[in-house]
Amino acid sequence: MVGHLFGGSGGPAGPTTVRYPSGRPWVVARSPWRHVSHLSRGADALVLIGPARVPDRVLADLLDRARTGADLDRLLRRLPGIHHVVSLLQGEVRVRGTASGLRRVYHCRYGGLRVASDRATVLAALCDAEVDEGALALRLLDFVPHPLRHRTLWHGVEEVEPEFSLTLGDDGPGYRIHRWWNSPRPHLSMARGKSAVAAALENSVREYTKEYADGRNRISGDLSGGLDSTSVAFLARRAGVRDMLAVTVAGRDAFAEDEQWARRAVEEFPGLDHHVIPAHEYPLFFAGVGTPGEPLDEPFYLAPARERARAMLEPAVRAGSRIHLTGHGGDELFNGVPAAYRDLFARRPLMAWSRLNATRHLHGWPLWPTLRQLLARPRYGSWLARSVTPEPLLGLRTPLLTWGAEQSVHPWITARGRRLIRAGYLSAARRARPLAPGPGRHTELDVIRTGARAFQALEDLGVAMGVPVAAPFFDDRVIEAVLSVRVEDRMDPARYKPLLVESLRGTVPDALLDRTTKDEMSQDQALGLRRHAPDLRRLWTDARLARRGLVDADLLVRLADEPDTPLLQENSLWTVVACESWLRAIEDQGRSRANRTNTRAKEGTEGT
């Protein structure tokens, strides 16, 4: 038997079991927020797990027309790309997630079987896996590049990279990996591309909301005042949503503009219920550090903002919202990455340099380092091996035209932690292949997938609180539509997110598409470091990371007492807080599981 476990961190709902055509158990899903759509035709079967139920007639058409897994992947492009897909065709079982990486696939050997799941934590508990301290050390960096981020936090648990599917052997531990997705060629003009993007966004929002768009069910959404969340709100209205609560946070900064723009959006959206969280009621960064959290698949990069996320979702929970929409993914998709001008340079060198030079002046990049990066052609493996350094970097003045951003090792990472990081990078560099031939497209995909991984932790928080959270921008069809548009049409340093703006004309009022600014939260972070210094000090006094020899707890305690030190202006605490919080949750979960096992064993002994 081959097993599949999905939705392992879902709520109290009982599991849904899908069986093989033969009657044997095949897929077990436990989540009150995701629908399991399945159909068998003879010896073939198909399971789609997503935000809404897929009609049997659609499943039947897919099974009737698909002869191979490749056929099925092609046919599924008619549906929004936000599903896990499990198929049995011609005796072959395939499992895949989404190209964005929002829906992932993990697998491990369990006894004589190969078991797959969407949750690494489920498999780690099933297989009693030990934490991989080398993988944990990597997460102490500000970001983990491809392919290192696909190294799971447990020995024996493997992750399938998003563009690949997992083919499982019959009645055994064997498996194969096959590519199912390729990045689209950027060939569309703005005129053609904006229509494709608009259609993909409308379909994605409709898929998330169609079961609640009858006016009898309330939904909710972020309304930060920024272009992304505003766009999703008006797309929901276009999809037929009539009862919607929008949540806005008032800024502490006297020059903040988010609330002002959010109120403008409300004026253009008749009937929209608007809830504004006063600035003094909104938690600062680092609030609640050290409190028990959910055992996630990996450290939650936004752990220092966990209480802020909870505060944003609480009005939705109180209002009985059935789903909460967000604009997450909008920055990753529509801001563009400067490295894309490298790809454009081969085709239109004058335009590429003109726009790159404007970008250089915008960010303060020195001329000669910019030219060196533009003309350099390092192999990806060579770049990866030297992309992390113990030396300080120039920060924002470092050009970003290669395969990604270089980074420094934080000073609180111990010598052991640095050795593990270095070993991980060198091992990966020997076999690493970029996500695309050019640095621009590679970086675009890397940024999108990094954002999608981070968003899944917010999904988990929403499930724990009782409301599912959605990010329509991370739909594969939306990503494909955006990446199909030519670089020169979707990136312009003189315009803010031009492709998104043009795609949503007629859906979002023109007055709201004119915004070119975005609030930043540095004041909330500085205040948070001061106000929550005692909480941080307690966190480091008994640091689990220090027990494993990965961080210098004494240095972190001293920094908690010096929140204004230049060292914390040059180095962020976010990842070390995230890793410490994750490790505590995982260790606490392991102890609880062991206690339950011991209790059951004791009760069994007493009953004999």
Side-chain angles (χ1 to χ4, degrees), residues 327-343:
H328 286 267
D331 287 345
E332 289 86 344
L333 274 180
F334 294 101
N335 275 341
V337 297
Y341 293 128
R342 281 277 300 269
D343 296 354

Side-chain angles (χ1 to χ4, degrees), residues 51-66:
R53 191 169 301 284
V54 179
D56 285 353
R57 57 178 174 75
V58 176
L59 298 175
D61 182 59
L62 291 168
L63 281 176
D64 288 343
R65 299 176 61 188

Side-chain angles (χ1 to χ4, degrees), residues 201-520:
L201 278 170
E202 288 176 19
N203 289 336
S204 181
V205 172
R206 185 174 293 110
E207 184 72 6
Y208 279 111
T209 62
K210 64 184 180 183
E211 296 193 359
Y212 315 121
D214 56 8
R216 293 182 303 231
N217 290 293
R218 166 164 282 208
I219 74 166
S220 59
D222 293 348
L223 188 62
S224 69
L227 185 56
D228 302 329
S229 62
T230 300
S231 298
V232 171
F234 281 90
L235 284 164
R237 184 174 74 164
R238 189 179 185 92
V241 172
R242 294 294 174 263
D243 187 2
M244 184 172 179
L245 170 69
V247 183
T248 301
V249 175
R252 286 184 171 85
D253 193 322
F255 298 100
E257 298 181 335
D258 278 353
E259 183 184 353
Q260 172 189 347
W261 281 93
R263 292 189 183 278
R264 288 188 189 180
V266 173
E267 292 173 359
E268 300 281 354
F269 196 137
L272 182 65
D273 188 7
H274 191 209
H275 179 85
V276 179
I277 302 173
H280 68 276
E281 294 182 8
Y282 193 52
L284 295 167
F285 289 108
F286 303 104
V289 293
T291 58
E294 299 76 24
L296 306 176
D297 290 332
E298 59 188 350
F300 180 19
Y301 173 69
L302 294 178
R306 181 173 176 269
E307 292 305 307
R308 293 165 71 88
R310 289 181 62 85
M312 279 290 290
L313 292 177
E314 282 170 355
V317 174
R318 290 195 301 268
S321 173
R322 303 299 297 274
I323 191 168
H324 188 83
L325 301 175
T326 75
H328 286 267
D331 287 345
E332 289 86 344
L333 274 180
F334 294 101
N335 275 341
V337 297
Y341 293 128
R342 281 277 300 269
D343 296 354
L344 179 62
F345 192 75
R347 211 166 31 83
R348 302 186 66 176
L350 292 180
M351 173 180 279
W353 174 247
S354 174
R355 296 197 177 181
L356 177 57
N357 199 37
T359 302
R360 178 181 75 83
H361 285 293
L362 188 65
H363 295 292
W365 296 344
L367 176 61
W368 291 116
T370 301
L371 288 172
R372 281 197 299 270
Q373 282 199 11
L374 178 64
L375 300 175
R377 294 292 183 270
R379 292 185 306 106
Y380 183 64
S382 301
W383 173 86
L384 184 65
R386 55 180 174 76
S387 65
V388 63
T389 172
E391 303 300 325
L393 296 174
L394 291 175
L396 295 177
R397 287 176 55 80
T398 303
L400 299 172
L401 301 178
T402 58
W403 296 103
E406 298 179 359
Q407 58 183 320
S408 297
V409 178
H410 293 299
W412 45 78
I413 300 177
T414 62
R416 179 173 184 264
R418 294 176 183 230
R419 287 195 300 271
L420 290 172
I421 291 171
R422 185 63 179 160
Y425 267 73
L426 291 178
S427 176
R430 286 193 288 270
R431 63 185 187 279
R433 297 291 182 272
L435 296 170
R441 179 48 55 92
H442 165 88
T443 307
E444 288 175 327
L445 292 173
D446 207 38
V447 167
I448 290 168
R449 291 176 177 177
T450 298
R453 294 181 80 93
F455 178 72
Q456 191 188 66
L458 185 58
E459 284 187 309
D460 290 342
L461 180 61
V463 168
M465 294 180 65
V467 60
V469 185
F473 284 122
F474 283 129
D475 185 325
D476 282 359
R477 302 292 89 83
V478 176
I479 293 168
E480 289 166 350
V482 171
L483 296 182
S484 295
V485 180
R486 297 179 310 206
V487 171
E488 59 266 40
D489 288 302
R490 58 186 166 87
M491 286 181 59
D492 185 342
R495 298 187 63 190
Y496 183 65
K497 299 184 179 179
L499 179 56
L500 180 59
V501 168
E502 297 306 321
S503 298
L504 293 180
R505 287 204 185 276
T507 298
V508 178
D510 286 349
L512 301 176
L513 294 175
D514 292 338
R515 186 179 184 188
T516 60
T517 60
K518 186 172 183 176
D519 287 356
E520 54 92 32

